[in-house]
């Protein structure tokens, strides 16, 4: 669905009128196109003195991708040898360049900050650079997770960067976004999943992901990083997508296929025509199935293994709405939403875990669709909010069970996405819902699909039990 307002204020007369009247001007977001550059300009790498070693590793990753990187390490840093001649500038040349360069991305490495007072050196190096952040630029922080047993000042410093990143993201404009990578203790910044998260956040694939933090845990991605791994990370994999007949489900199926997967498209028999259309578009297979059926999990596994020989990814996208104020809620509305949105996922996951225990599936990736309604709530959606919060809960619990078999479980929580379903929201509430995020617009189904594809990829093996919001940084909730 087209957001006519956003289109109008970015072209011709509408752009002029919006500027004169002081109306909001949401940017036309830069989304992924094959062959496009990773960033829209050079990268400024900023770190405090204590994090210099980690930042050097991050810089090596960025340069390995062919990016133009400028280092700025604040404070007294360890001697790194003679002045480099391979494009690494001096501190003085950085200061000179900062006044003229339009940064495509700023990466702030603060993983070793130990006290809140120590944060200022690196943080206060950013203001001038932020004024030179290009439209559609990226800010990415690399911090470290607070852990049980941390000293209070260490926990304060580490958690402080969570609030810092979310607040900074709300200050960015012109389609720029801010997101953070949080390293678990002992995880290096060049861990394969940290690299994958960094690349995702820098890329146009994360266009509608803003103000989000992803924790990278101890799992070994065990996957060779190469151009093929980035362009076709799901090559040779078999993925199942429920609710694939239209909307977000169809976009997920197409994105997984683009990334190399063979896709099994699942939906109810009543959606057979749309299901066949999606399956044909991705050159996959269609499975007409009600996900609430007691044997849905077994049938999904059987279809994937019989037709395609394996099962690697399951995306729980099927879901329904039956909105009503709780004062007017009836059992049919409540029970049907619970049955489809959460009970079906739980039952299918039980079958998947049993299959993993038997050795029928290995390294399974489960990605479930939650919602910002399950995080912040929404009027008239007590049933929907209950189920989507339940999805977040079972994802966290399932991640631990699946880890025993080399798998991961994550969730994606969309905000307002332009679909046929949101098209039917009355005009005024629809406009409000579009604007109450940092990017001041609704997302597209492909934005959700890109997040799902990232979490489903082998390179994201170190990310599990997480819920990644795709909401343009909705102003409510975390």
């Amino acid at each position: 669905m087209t957001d006519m307002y956003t289109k109008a204020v970015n072209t011709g007369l509408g752009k002029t009128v919006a500027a004169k009247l002081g109306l909001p001007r949401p940017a036309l977001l830069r989304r992924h196109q094959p062959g496009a550059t990773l960033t829209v300009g050079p990268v400024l790498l900023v770190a405090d003195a204590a994090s210099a070693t980690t930042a050097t590793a991050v810089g090596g990753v960025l340069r390995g991708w062919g990016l133009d990187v400028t280092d700025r390490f604040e404070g007294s840093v360890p001697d790194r040898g003679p002045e480099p001649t391979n494009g690494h500038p001096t501190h003085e040349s950085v200061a000179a360049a900062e006044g003229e360069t339009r940064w495509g991305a700023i990466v702030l490495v603060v993983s070793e900050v130990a006290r809140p007072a120590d944060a200022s050196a690196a943080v206060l190096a950013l203001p001038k650079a932020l004024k030179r952040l290009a439209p559609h630029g990226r800010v990415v922080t690399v911090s470290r997770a607070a852990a049980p047993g941390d000293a209070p000042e260490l926990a304060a410093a580490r958690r402080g960067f969570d609030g810092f990143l979310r607040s900074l993201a709300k200050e960015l404009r012109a389609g720029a976004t801010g997101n953070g990578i949080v390293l678990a203790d002992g995880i290096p910044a060049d861990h394969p999943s940290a690299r994958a998260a960094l690349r995702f956040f820098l890329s146009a694939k994360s266009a509608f992901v803003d103000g989000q933090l992803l924790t990278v845990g101890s799992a070994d991605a065990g996957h060779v990083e190469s151009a093929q791994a980035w362009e076709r990370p799901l090559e040779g994999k078999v993925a199942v997508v429920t609710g694939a007949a239209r909307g977000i489900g169809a976009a997920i199926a197409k994105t997984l296929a683009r990334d190399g997967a063979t896709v099994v498209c699942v939906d109810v028999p009543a959606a057979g025509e749309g299901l066949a259309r999606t399956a044909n578009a991705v050159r996959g297979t269609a499975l007409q199935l009600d996900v609430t059926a007691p044997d849905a999990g077994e049938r999904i596994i059987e279809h994937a293994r019989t037709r395609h020989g394996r099962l690697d990814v399951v995306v729980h996208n099927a879901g329904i709405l039956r909105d009503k104020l709780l004062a007017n809620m009836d059992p049919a509305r409540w029970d049907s939403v619970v049955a489809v949105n959460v009970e079906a996922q739980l039952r299918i996951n039980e079958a998947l875990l049993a299959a993993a225990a038997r050795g029928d599936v290995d390294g399974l990736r489960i990605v479930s669709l939650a919602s910002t309604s399950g995080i912040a709530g929404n009027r008239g959606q007590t049933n929907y909010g209950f189920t989507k919060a339940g999805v977040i809960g079972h994802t966290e619990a399932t991640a631990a069970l699946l880890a025993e078999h080399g798998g991961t479980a994550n969730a994606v929580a969309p905000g307002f996405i332009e679909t046929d379903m949101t098209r039917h929201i009355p005009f005024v509430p629809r406009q409000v819902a579009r604007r109450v995020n940092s990017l001041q617009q609704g997302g597209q189904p492909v934005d959700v699909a890109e997040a799902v594809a990232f979490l489903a990829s082998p390179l994201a093996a170190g990310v599990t039990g997480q819920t990644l919001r795709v909401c343009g940084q909705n102003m409510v909730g975390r």
Side-chain angles (χ1 to χ4, degrees):
M1 183 178 178
T2 302
D3 179 355
M4 297 304 296
Y5 175 84
T6 296
K7 184 176 181 181
V9 297
N10 280 281
T11 55
L13 180 61
K15 183 177 181 179
T16 302
V17 170
K20 287 184 176 180
L21 297 179
L23 297 174
R25 283 189 51 216
L28 294 172
L29 299 182
R30 175 181 181 256
R31 291 185 167 89
H32 175 70
Q33 296 292 333
T37 57
L38 181 58
T39 64
V40 293
V43 180
L44 177 64
L45 178 64
V46 180
D48 66 290
S51 305
T53 300
T54 302
T56 299
V58 172
V61 171
L62 296 169
R63 292 184 176 93
W65 294 336
L67 296 174
D68 179 5
V69 182
T70 295
D71 297 333
R72 181 164 183 173
F73 294 175
E74 295 300 318
S76 177
V77 301
D79 183 8
R80 296 194 296 160
E83 182 62 28
T85 59
N86 59 349
H88 300 213
T90 64
H91 187 89
E92 291 73 19
S93 66
V94 171
E98 191 169 313
E100 58 192 42
T101 301
R102 297 288 281 179
W103 301 112
I106 301 170
V107 179
L108 175 66
V109 182
V110 286
S111 58
E112 311 311 318
V113 170
R115 300 181 305 161
D118 296 340
S120 61
V123 167
L124 296 180
L126 295 184
K128 289 183 180 180
L130 287 168
K131 293 175 182 177
R132 304 298 300 174
L133 186 65
H136 312 291
R138 298 288 187 258
V139 177
V140 180
T141 59
V142 180
S143 60
R144 200 163 289 281
D150 281 349
E153 61 182 4
L154 178 59
R158 289 179 169 181
R159 288 298 297 270
F161 284 110
D162 295 2
F164 166 81
L165 181 277
R166 291 191 173 108
S167 298
L168 173 58
K170 291 183 176 180
E171 299 178 6
L172 303 177
R173 294 292 180 266
T177 62
N179 294 288
I181 299 165
V182 183
L183 304 172
D185 270 343
I187 300 301
D190 57 357
H191 182 283
S193 291
R195 294 198 303 264
L198 178 59
R199 191 176 180 104
F200 175 72
F201 284 147
L202 290 176
S203 76
K205 292 181 177 182
S206 63
F208 202 59
V209 178
D210 196 13
Q212 302 308 302
L213 296 148
L214 271 182
T215 299
V216 176
S218 59
D220 181 5
H223 193 72
V224 177
E225 182 178 341
S226 64
Q228 176 73 4
W230 290 121
E231 294 300 322
R232 304 270 292 179
L234 296 173
E235 191 73 55
K237 306 295 185 182
V238 175
V240 169
V241 181
T242 67
R246 61 189 178 95
I248 291 173
I252 292 170
K254 291 172 184 176
T255 302
L256 297 181
R258 178 204 69 190
D259 286 356
T262 298
V263 182
V264 177
C265 303
V266 178
D267 218 314
V268 293
E273 185 176 340
L275 181 64
R277 187 163 49 246
T278 301
N280 289 337
V282 301
R283 297 184 179 181
T285 57
L287 173 61
Q288 293 189 8
L289 174 67
D290 183 343
V291 294
T292 65
D295 63 344
E298 288 79 6
R299 290 178 61 186
I300 285 171
I301 296 166
E302 180 184 10
H303 179 99
R305 298 189 74 232
T306 301
R307 297 289 298 274
H308 306 293
R310 58 189 296 154
L311 176 59
D312 302 285
V313 176
V314 173
V315 180
H316 291 300
N317 168 73
I320 62 172
L321 287 171
R322 297 290 185 269
D323 292 356
K324 211 72 171 176
L325 294 175
L326 185 59
N328 302 319
M329 186 67 67
D330 57 79
R333 283 187 173 87
W334 180 275
D335 292 342
S336 60
V337 171
V338 170
V340 175
N341 292 8
V342 66
E343 288 286 351
Q345 292 188 16
L346 287 167
R347 195 176 300 112
I348 292 170
N349 283 355
E350 287 179 3
L352 294 171
L353 286 165
R358 295 192 304 267
D360 291 343
V361 296
D362 182 49
L364 184 68
R365 305 278 183 262
I366 298 176
V367 184
S368 303
L369 270 289
S371 169
T372 54
S373 292
I375 297 171
N378 201 17
R379 176 181 166 84
Q381 290 193 325
T382 52
N383 52 357
Y384 189 74
F386 172 82
T387 62
K388 293 305 183 178
V391 167
I392 294 170
H394 84 59
T395 295
E396 294 172 352
T398 301
L401 300 175
L402 207 52
E404 300 175 15
H405 309 289
T408 64
N410 291 288
V412 171
F416 184 92
I417 304 296
E418 304 283 357
T419 64
D420 288 340
M421 184 169 62
T422 56
R423 185 197 301 270
H424 297 296
I425 298 173
F427 177 78
V428 172
R430 185 167 74 244
Q431 289 299 326
V432 171
R434 280 173 170 155
R435 309 304 164 205
V436 290
N437 63 66
S438 295
L439 296 174
Q440 300 182 310
Q441 61 192 282
Q444 297 295 325
V446 70
D447 297 323
V448 181
E450 295 286 16
V452 170
F454 161 67
L455 293 171
S457 70
L459 285 171
V463 179
T464 190
Q466 305 282 302
T467 296
L468 178 61
R469 285 175 52 175
V470 183
C471 63
Q473 197 182 22
N474 199 297
M475 295 300 181
V476 294
R478 56 185 170 85

